[in-house]
């Protein structure tokens, strides 16, 4: 059993439900946020063990999230970015801001789980 706290920031209802189900099945404790405001509010209450976030979210983008976590919260919590806009500019921006990994949509829950386990084994 993993028992790691994971903040999942995803505004796509179907994908959020699928990932939430699969990650809980793997033993993750999920805090699901539907938009950037929820993410920011949740992070000011508690920093999870890892964050998985879409880049394109209402109110507060995934790139703004990385900046907020690294510069305002001064946290090195691992962040995996997910986006259908996996163009080079977004990928490079995410890594320059401090993302630990980037996955292009459509996302495979199994691939995400492997990447999560790889990152969490290093921390």
């Amino acid at each position: 059993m993993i028992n790691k706290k994971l903040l999942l920031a995803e505004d796509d209802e179907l994908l959020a439900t699928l990932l939430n189900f699969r990650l809980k099945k793997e033993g993750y404790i999920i805090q699901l946020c539907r938009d950037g405001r929820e993410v920011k509010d949740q992070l000011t209450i508690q920093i999870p063990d890892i964050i998985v976030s879409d880049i394109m979210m209402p109110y507060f983008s995934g790139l703004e999230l990385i900046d907020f976590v690294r510069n305002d919260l001064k946290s090195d919590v691992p962040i995996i970015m997910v986006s259908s806009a996996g163009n080079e500019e977004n990928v490079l921006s995410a890594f320059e801001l401090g993302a630990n990994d980037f996955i292009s949509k459509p996302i495979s829950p199994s691939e995400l789980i492997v990447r999560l386990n790889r990152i969490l084994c290093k921390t």
Side-chain angles (χ1 to χ4, degrees):
M1 203 63 158
I2 290 183
N3 287 328
K4 293 284 188 176
K5 293 178 184 143
L6 183 148
L7 187 144
L8 175 60
E10 177 58 62
D11 61 337
D12 179 300
E13 188 73 34
L14 185 60
L15 181 58
T17 301
L18 171 68
L19 293 178
N20 188 36
F21 175 78
R22 278 295 305 276
L23 293 169
K24 279 184 177 178
K25 194 173 171 185
E26 290 294 316
Y28 287 94
I29 300 161
I30 307 299
Q31 174 62 51
L32 182 57
C33 298
R34 304 290 184 183
D35 64 50
R37 284 190 293 212
E38 284 183 39
V39 172
K40 196 171 182 180
D41 290 346
Q42 185 60 39
L43 289 173
T44 57
I45 296 168
Q46 180 182 34
I47 301 291
D49 295 306
I50 193 161
I51 297 169
V52 176
S53 177
D54 192 0
I55 280 190
M56 310 271 242
M57 289 187 299
Y59 309 115
F60 194 72
S61 76
L63 296 176
E64 290 171 309
L65 164 68
I66 300 168
D67 184 60
F68 176 72
V69 169
R70 298 294 185 243
N71 297 312
D72 295 349
L73 299 178
K74 305 287 188 226
S75 174
D76 62 354
V77 61
I79 301 172
I80 298 177
M81 297 307 300
V82 177
S83 181
S84 56
N87 61 48
E88 185 177 12
E89 183 180 335
N90 280 338
V91 174
L92 293 176
S93 293
F95 283 122
E96 286 170 3
L97 288 168
N100 297 80
D101 205 348
F102 190 103
I103 304 173
S104 294
K105 289 181 182 178
I107 182 171
S108 156
S110 298
E111 178 185 352
L112 176 60
I113 289 164
V114 168
R115 289 175 184 249
L116 287 167
N117 292 340
R118 179 183 53 83
I119 288 172
L120 289 170
C121 284
K122 292 180 183 177
T123 59

